[in-house]
Amino acid sequence: MVYLMISLAGFCMLSIGFKLVSIYQADMKRVIFINYVMATTLTIAVAVLNLRDKNIFEGFGNGDFWKMACLAVALGLAMIQNLWCTEVSTDKNGLGSTTFFSRAGFLICIILSAVLWKDFPGILQAIGILVLLVSMAEMMRGTQDGNVAGDRKLFPVLFIGSGLVFFFNAVYGRYFPAEYKPLFLSIVFLVTLISSVVLLCRGDKGRHSALATDILLGSVIGISNAVGTFFQLKSLDFLSVAIVMPVSAAGNLLVVALAGRFCFREKGNCHITAALVLAVLSLILINL
């Protein structure tokens, strides 16, 4: 559970980092590039340290490596798409509702895990997941007010994109040993880094902002990204998908929504408040 809490803290900081990008009008392309430079550097450093213990790679054949590499590429592409959509939605819809629909993508992972691996949640966990679904509906009702949400069409994209990220993480935890995790993540973030370079070089240069601001925000987001992803994978070594994904989603939703309301003065209403209360209830049920 400690690993899951560290992962949750990382993802919360990532979401808050994007809100700060919006507030300070940072150049998003540069921020995403710096984010992935930092995340790639950290994961490669850990992978190199792991390579010193050559015994952990005994029996890891070429076929296993290429399967892992393909999964890493798929996860990397899903991550950069989801990250870019998160930034756009945070700017238009606010921190709370964006985080809500992004984190709710875990439901896709839960469904696929149950279908493919028979990894069914317990009765109380299932009730907690249903409560979270009701919470999602309340959040959607709350964001129908034009003063709260600016572009609700982004919500389904966030939901599906984050669901794929959750699922690819679960696939790794299911089929590959924990000791290969740093190598896997170094490939994932290398793919995202290459993609961010392409985005940086294409089209408009984005917002004009101080380079120091972009570097600082990009570094904070990059460290948070690497920490959140690494420890979420590590928590899957000890806990089931049916626990890791809902707790991560509900906890992230609660912390970030409170930060949006009290730190960034985002507008809310009774439906959004009800959604947060139900999210807390779902978190309690899932952990019983």
Side-chain angles (χ1 to χ4, degrees):
M1 188 60 73
V2 173
Y3 294 138
L4 185 54
M5 293 301 101
I6 296 174
S7 170
L8 176 60
F11 286 132
C12 287
M13 283 303 302
L14 186 149
S15 298
I16 292 171
F18 278 124
K19 182 63 179 180
L20 293 174
V21 168
S22 176
I23 290 174
Y24 288 103
Q25 295 291 295
D27 186 327
M28 191 57 206
K29 291 182 179 180
R30 284 200 307 217
V31 168
I32 287 183
F33 169 71
I34 295 165
N35 148 55
Y36 284 127
V37 168
M38 181 64 70
T40 304
T41 301
L42 289 175
T43 52
I44 288 179
V46 176
V48 169
L49 291 175
N50 263 30
L51 285 172
R52 293 180 179 179
D53 184 6
K54 296 182 180 179
N55 293 329
I56 68 172
F57 290 97
E58 289 181 357
F60 190 55
N62 289 333
D64 294 329
F65 173 79
W66 288 113
K67 290 176 184 177
M68 187 180 74
C70 289
L71 178 62
V73 170
L75 176 56
L77 294 175
M79 283 178 64
I80 196 163
Q81 181 274 335
N82 191 57
L83 195 69
W84 190 266
C85 188
T86 297
E87 187 277 331
V88 174
S89 182
T90 299
D91 193 22
K92 293 185 176 182
N93 301 319
L95 180 62
S97 55
T98 294
T99 302
F100 187 94
F101 285 96
S102 177
R103 294 292 99 189
F106 84 92
L107 291 170
I108 294 175
C109 182
I110 294 291
I111 293 170
L112 291 176
S113 297
V115 171
L116 297 175
W117 306 317
K118 310 301 180 185
D119 187 6
F120 297 102
I123 295 176
L124 289 177
Q125 292 170 354
I127 294 173
I129 292 171
L130 290 175
V131 171
L132 190 56
L133 284 173
V134 177
S135 175
M136 288 175 60
E138 282 297 298
M139 181 63 79
M140 181 62 84
R141 290 179 66 187
T143 56
Q144 287 176 354
D145 182 353
N147 293 323
V148 177
D151 190 354
R152 294 191 300 275
K153 296 189 295 295
L154 291 168
F155 293 151
V157 180
L158 279 170
F159 179 74
I160 295 171
S162 65
L164 290 176
V165 172
F166 280 129
F167 179 65
F168 290 147
N169 279 326
V171 169
Y172 179 86
R174 184 82 181 186
Y175 293 110
F176 296 97
E179 54 264 31
Y180 307 146
K181 196 180 288 97
L183 178 61
F184 172 71
L185 286 180
S186 65
I187 298 172
V188 169
F189 284 117
L190 187 60
V191 170
T192 59
L193 177 59
I194 294 171
S195 301
S196 68
V197 171
V198 174
L199 289 172
L200 187 65
C201 296
R202 286 185 57 187
D204 298 332
K205 295 300 181 182
R207 296 165 176 164
H208 298 287
S209 57
L211 180 59
T213 300
D214 296 341
I215 292 175
L216 178 60
L217 292 175
S219 298
V220 170
I221 292 172
I223 294 171
S224 302
N225 202 355
V227 169
T229 304
F230 179 82
F231 282 100
Q232 184 176 78
L233 280 176
K234 198 161 185 64
S235 65
L236 287 169
D237 295 338
F238 305 96
L239 301 169
S240 71
V241 171
I243 293 177
V244 171
M245 301 308 178
V247 169
S248 178
N252 191 216
L253 163 65
L254 177 62
V255 173
V256 171
L258 290 174
R261 179 68 181 87
F262 294 106
C263 297
F264 302 116
R265 304 299 179 186
E266 292 187 346
K267 295 181 180 179
N269 52 42
C270 61
H271 297 293
I272 292 177
T273 301
L276 294 178
V277 172
L278 290 171
V280 174
L281 178 59
S282 73
L283 187 60
I284 295 171
L285 290 170
I286 288 166
N287 282 279
L288 288 178

